[in-house]
Amino acid sequence: MLLSRVLPSNTTLLPTSSHARVAPLRYRHVPAGGGAITVPVRRRFAMTIRARDAAPVLDIEPQPLKLLDRRTKLKIAVIGFGNFGQFLARTFAAQGHEILAYSRTDYSDTARSLGVAFFDDQNDLCEQQPDVVLLSTSILSAEAVLRSLPIQRLRRSTLFVDVLSVKEFPRNLFLQLLPPDFDILCTHPMFGPDSGKHGWAGLPFAYDKVRIGDSDDRVERCRAFLEIFDREGCRMVEMSCAEHDETAAEIQFLTHTIGRVLAKLDLKSTPINTKGYETLLNLVQNTCSDSYELYNGLFIYNKNSTELIEKLNDALDTMKKELFERLHGIFRKQLFESSGRSSIDAGK
Ligand code: NAP
């Protein structure tokens, strides 16, 4: 029977996700005045019937997670499809995961070329009910972006992941803003489009399972997400967000600061570059190819950065003091030695 014959004229047929295609019947509450219901058409093909003027759909029943599907494929929504979001999505898609993306800028062409479904409306993206929502916006905009997400359209057990370069801040944000049923995984792939352009093997990936439900399906979903990085050969490091920030201030903020300070010197390549000097030029290149917003976020949202920049300043002062004291010592010695000689000369 043709479904269109039995449906009201203001309904739209949408294919449901690949996950739904193999899932058994899924029933969703239809609020008065509109909504959606998933109807089995054939065993391996379901359609979502949605009134075009439907009110937001709220899942009333937690959806059962299919263990077998989780092992093989995740539906991941990348929020913030800029430099880093695209970089991650390329590998996620290459591993066979289904990737959706949303960003304030229209990246639909780039998304298409990566095999990613781009949404210019967050409501539409959330209604796709991804397994994982991955926050990849700038640190500075993370709170505003998270607050603007229509999370009521997501499945109640959604896993939220972030990849921000600081960790205590998104951890606290997630705990504060997300309903208790959502799982939370805070991560930091400690590499980027430049350092990871030839693959991720051996590169560190820090993570903290902040809140993962006990049930097998939730544990399995988190494991499946982490496996993406494990499969690429990343060095998986489990550590608390606080521990990460303490360590990352030195590793990351210091590196970026030195790179950006050197950039202010406008260093040029010369015919007599030494290896050390080349390292400095590369450092400038690597750090300044990230956005200033990212660098700024490392400073503002990691409390350890303030102390570190003071220490760096003190270290430079100490070094300058040492150098000038030595220089004065040499001048003084020369002065007295030469004045001693001239008085001897004068006594002759
Ligand atoms: P970024 O400058 O830190 O962030 C750019 C992203 O933030 C873009 O998706 C941009 O969206 C979005 N954004 C910025 N301001 C926004 C606003 N007011 N409202 C909504 N969205 C906004 O650069 P990035 O390199 O892509 O980094 C993304 C995240 O990954 C950051 O949290 C960073 O710390 C983390 N990370 C980056 C690296 C790296 O090597 N780059 C490595 C590890 C982790 P539009 O493009 O749509 O404007």
Side-chain angles (χ1 to χ4, degrees), residues 217-250:
D217 47 3
R218 286 175 181 238
V219 170
E220 177 57 25
R221 179 177 55 189
C222 177
R223 190 206 61 75
F225 181 81
L226 290 172
E227 201 195 33
I228 297 176
F229 296 87
D230 207 9
R231 274 179 65 176
E232 297 297 319
C234 287
R235 194 152 42 81
M236 307 297 285
V237 185
E238 188 165 8
M239 56 161 59
S240 73
C241 291
E243 205 185 334
H244 166 278
D245 282 2
E246 216 177 300
T247 318
E250 286 191 359

Side-chain angles (χ1 to χ4, degrees), residues 1-246:
M1 177 175 54
L2 267 178
L3 269 172
S4 53
R5 292 222 185 108
V6 295
L7 295 172
S9 61
N10 70 335
T11 50
T12 308
L13 290 180
L14 299 169
T16 55
S17 70
S18 57
H19 184 64
R21 266 180 227 135
V22 288
L25 293 189
R26 300 168 64 215
Y27 293 106
R28 287 193 284 166
H29 173 69
V30 185
I37 186 166
T38 300
V39 176
V41 178
R42 279 192 215 116
R43 190 175 140 60
R44 289 185 56 78
F45 186 72
M47 302 295 275
T48 297
I49 303 166
R50 181 175 304 138
R52 280 197 286 271
D53 55 353
V57 177
L58 294 176
D59 264 0
I60 303 298
E61 301 292 341
Q63 299 295 315
L65 303 172
K66 297 291 287 175
L67 226 72
L68 272 177
D69 291 350
R70 299 277 171 232
R71 283 205 188 106
T72 52
K73 190 171 178 178
L74 289 171
K75 192 199 272 196
I76 305 172
V78 178
I79 309 293
F81 201 55
N83 195 23
F84 197 59
Q86 292 171 23
F87 169 70
L88 291 178
R90 185 172 293 114
T91 299
F92 293 176
Q95 283 194 14
H97 297 285
E98 184 183 348
I99 311 302
L100 324 172
Y102 167 80
S103 219
R104 66 179 171 171
T105 306
D106 180 5
Y107 292 113
S108 40
D109 288 345
T110 313
R112 203 171 304 117
S113 71
L114 297 174
V116 170
F118 188 80
F119 291 78
D120 56 12
D121 186 323
Q122 308 178 68
N123 292 292
D124 293 337
L125 177 132
C126 289
E127 281 174 5
Q128 298 297 311
Q129 306 214 316
D131 306 308
V132 179
V133 173
L134 180 106
L135 190 66
S136 178
T137 56
S138 67
I139 301 167
L140 301 188
S141 66
E143 179 167 1
V145 170
L146 188 62
R147 281 187 188 278
S148 72
L149 266 187
I151 53 174
Q152 76 279 7
R153 291 176 194 261
L154 293 166
R155 213 175 3 225
R156 209 170 75 186
S157 69
T158 309
L159 168 64
F160 264 75
V161 180
D162 85 286
V163 291
L164 272 56
S165 305
V166 293
K167 293 276 53 81
E168 278 204 278
F169 167 64
R171 174 189 182 275
N172 295 341
L173 205 59
F174 279 173
L175 286 172
Q176 187 195 335
L177 297 182
L178 296 178
D181 279 322
F182 284 14
D183 285 352
I184 299 173
L185 173 68
C186 288
T187 79
H188 185 193
M190 308 222 31
F191 49 90
D194 203 64
S195 51
K197 67 180 166 212
H198 300 304
W200 302 355
L203 300 173
F205 178 87
Y207 65 97
D208 184 1
K209 294 178 191 168
V210 174
R211 187 174 71 203
I212 306 294
D214 291 337
S215 61
D216 288 351
D217 47 3
R218 286 175 181 238
V219 170
E220 177 57 25
R221 179 177 55 189
C222 177
R223 190 206 61 75
F225 181 81
L226 290 172
E227 201 195 33
I228 297 176
F229 296 87
D230 207 9
R231 274 179 65 176
E232 297 297 319
C234 287
R235 194 152 42 81
M236 307 297 285
V237 185
E238 188 165 8
M239 56 161 59
S240 73
C241 291
E243 205 185 334
H244 166 278
D245 282 2
E246 216 177 300

Side-chain angles (χ1 to χ4, degrees), residues 269-296:
S269 187
T270 78
I272 52 165
N273 285 357
T274 58
K275 290 266 179 227
Y277 186 71
E278 299 252 323
T279 308
L280 295 188
L281 292 178
N282 286 337
L283 181 64
V284 173
Q285 163 70 25
N286 288 349
T287 50
C288 295
S289 60
D290 283 330
S291 71
Y292 187 81
E293 206 174 343
L294 196 163
Y295 175 61
N296 203 206

